[in-house]
Amino acid sequence: MAKYRVGLIGAGRKGTQHARAYMLDERTELVAVADGDPENLALFQKRTGVPGYADYRQMLEKEALDIAAPILPVGVNPEVVIACAQAGVKAILCEKPISASLEEADRMVAECKSRRIPFGAGDLDVNLPAYQKALEFIGAGELGAVKRITLLGGSGTEMSGGGCQRFTLMRHFAGCDEVAWVSGWVCDDPLSEHDQGGAGYVRFANGIEAFTYRDKDARGRGYEVVCEDGVFYSDDNLAGLYRYVEGDGASWEKLEKIEGILPEGPIYGVYGEERGYDAEGWRCLGDRNRASCKAIIDALERGEDPPGSGENGVKVLEMAIAVRESHRRGCAPVMLPLADRSLRLIPNPSRMYNKKPILGHEKYMDQVLSQKKD
């Protein structure tokens, strides 16, 4: 069978990792790369031998791409995703967060939906096998109805950047139902348009309640999903499903771990520097990156969006903005969807803009060079 043709846009550290994930999937072939930075482009071409373009528009015009992989700063992400959709690619997976403003995110999703293009936004935890198995088990009613979702460990400094990971899993454990309203507060300045930490309460239309806290505590980071008859718990390293036993009067002492459903071992597999390098000299990929690229290929074959869809990207951005808007209104409940689509939440500079001038040339190139032993 012919392989799906993949074009990478953005050959930095994360772009290189996405490219490698497609190179390792037997269903795809990396056929081209585009990057306006001559140094990045030359290094990537030397490592892969694929045709390179200084302008991604030329690549879209000359290469018959099935999958576009724009792995770019958020500031240019909307423009490029929309151009990919208009060029006729069959699927798109970009990075997170989807955009700074709701208006831009809406346009990105609309362009893809109008052309029936599966669209994913982010290398997301929801794509990992442990979470997919837990979602499937709970969705089948094995623990009864979901009652409460708690995001543990505080929000850090990002509600939209890294925080979109956490809001995404909140949505999925709530059955991806619509959010009715949000009440919350941010850690710094509610009048600022820049991303920051926050905390609050999310009420889903189906009655499920969700909570996110500002500060760390003794329980560490992770997720707790409490159902009528059991609990799912993750500490961002290990995860478990637990069922109440001994009939009425449920208590923590009566929780029994359910074996054989979730994959054994850490959620992310081997992490960071410990992964080392493979036989071809490439840094071994994290499980999540491979799972996210697999998800968009699966979505293309099914003709539907992946779990971490562009539409999800809009929803979680809206939830983060709603937390801030609630603070601006004296922590009053804010109804969703938000009517003002010009509202935005600007990610931190290393997500919003080109990292090379922000990190400095040497530090940035160390990260890119470390992706392969040349």
Side-chain angles (χ1 to χ4, degrees), residues 12-82:
R13 176 187 61 84
K14 194 64 177 178
T16 300
Q17 292 172 357
H18 277 259
R20 186 61 181 159
Y22 291 116
M23 292 163 67
L24 290 171
D25 194 300
E26 63 183 12
R27 296 170 294 174
T28 53
E29 177 184 8
L30 182 70
V31 298
V33 58
D35 198 313
D37 185 316
E39 185 177 27
N40 289 2
L41 185 62
L43 176 62
F44 190 87
Q45 284 190 272
K46 177 184 175 182
R47 287 171 160 178
T48 63
V50 301
Y53 298 85
D55 188 333
Y56 75 91
R57 296 176 186 84
Q58 293 180 351
M59 184 181 74
L60 292 172
E61 181 180 345
K62 294 184 179 181
E63 303 285 347
L65 299 178
D66 296 306
I67 300 174
I71 312 302
L72 300 165
V74 175
V76 297
N77 198 43
E79 168 199 324
V80 179
V81 167
I82 289 171

Side-chain angles (χ1 to χ4, degrees), residues 80-130:
V80 179
V81 167
I82 289 171
C84 289
Q86 293 174 342
V89 303
K90 297 177 182 177
I92 301 169
L93 175 61
C94 69
E95 259 300 342
K96 65 183 188 297
I98 185 172
S99 69
S101 79
L102 292 172
E103 183 179 30
E104 290 174 333
D106 288 341
R107 286 194 293 112
M108 295 162 74
V109 170
E111 287 285 352
C112 292
K113 280 192 174 294
S114 69
R115 293 167 171 80
R116 298 183 179 178
I117 298 171
F119 174 30
D123 172 14
L124 299 178
D125 290 348
V126 72
N127 296 314
L128 284 161

Side-chain angles (χ1 to χ4, degrees), residues 30 52 57 62 95 105 113 168 187 252 255-256 258 319:
L30 182 70
R57 296 176 186 84
K62 294 184 179 181
E95 259 300 342
K113 280 192 174 294
T168 292
C187 63
W252 286 104
L255 280 174
E256 180 179 87
I258 304 169
M319 291 164 72

Side-chain angles (χ1 to χ4, degrees), residues 64-315:
L65 299 178
D66 296 306
I67 300 174
I71 312 302
L72 300 165
V74 175
V76 297
N77 198 43
E79 168 199 324
V80 179
V81 167
I82 289 171
C84 289
Q86 293 174 342
V89 303
K90 297 177 182 177
I92 301 169
L93 175 61
C94 69
E95 259 300 342
K96 65 183 188 297
I98 185 172
S99 69
S101 79
L102 292 172
E103 183 179 30
E104 290 174 333
D106 288 341
R107 286 194 293 112
M108 295 162 74
V109 170
E111 287 285 352
C112 292
K113 280 192 174 294
S114 69
R115 293 167 171 80
R116 298 183 179 178
I117 298 171
F119 174 30
D123 172 14
L124 299 178
D125 290 348
V126 72
N127 296 314
L128 284 161
Y131 290 119
Q132 283 296 304
K133 290 289 186 181
L135 286 163
E136 180 182 347
F137 190 78
I138 292 172
E142 296 291 340
L143 297 180
V146 175
K147 306 300 289 183
R148 186 183 74 246
I149 302 164
T150 303
L151 306 187
L152 303 169
S155 62
T157 59
E158 298 179 291
M159 291 188 296
S160 174
C164 68
Q165 296 275 16
R166 297 168 70 73
F167 280 129
T168 292
L169 277 168
M170 180 190 287
R171 287 192 66 247
H172 277 263
F173 280 114
C176 289
D177 200 29
E178 297 297 329
V179 174
W181 53 273
V182 172
S183 178
W185 57 94
V186 294
C187 63
D188 295 318
D189 180 8
L191 299 181
S192 173
E193 290 190 312
H194 291 269
D195 204 359
Q196 56 189 302
Y201 170 87
V202 178
R203 176 78 175 196
F204 288 89
N206 58 13
I208 293 173
E209 297 183 302
F211 303 83
T212 180
Y213 301 106
R214 171 67 190 98
D215 296 322
K216 295 180 180 179
D217 57 34
R219 302 193 68 183
R221 288 178 62 84
Y223 308 87
E224 182 182 79
V225 182
V226 181
C227 307
E228 288 177 322
D229 302 315
V231 175
F232 167 77
Y233 176 74
S234 159
D235 66 358
D236 275 354
N237 181 39
L238 301 174
L241 289 160
Y242 303 85
R243 181 179 280 119
Y244 288 124
V245 294
E246 298 184 22
D248 296 333
S251 67
W252 286 104
E253 290 77 14
K254 296 179 181 178
L255 280 174
E256 180 179 87
K257 188 172 183 179
I258 304 169
E259 303 290 351
I261 303 298
L262 301 186
E264 295 294 329
I267 292 169
Y268 300 99
V270 180
Y271 195 77
E273 297 293 326
E274 298 176 6
R275 290 199 299 265
Y277 293 84
D278 64 23
E280 297 179 45
W282 291 95
R283 180 173 289 284
C284 295
L285 287 179
D287 290 1
R288 191 182 75 192
N289 209 153
R290 294 194 69 172
S292 295
C293 290
K294 177 182 181 299
I296 194 65
I297 303 167
D298 292 343
L300 174 56
E301 294 188 330
R302 294 194 303 264
E304 61 186 37
D305 280 339
S309 64
E311 187 171 6
N312 172 75
V314 177
K315 300 287 188 183

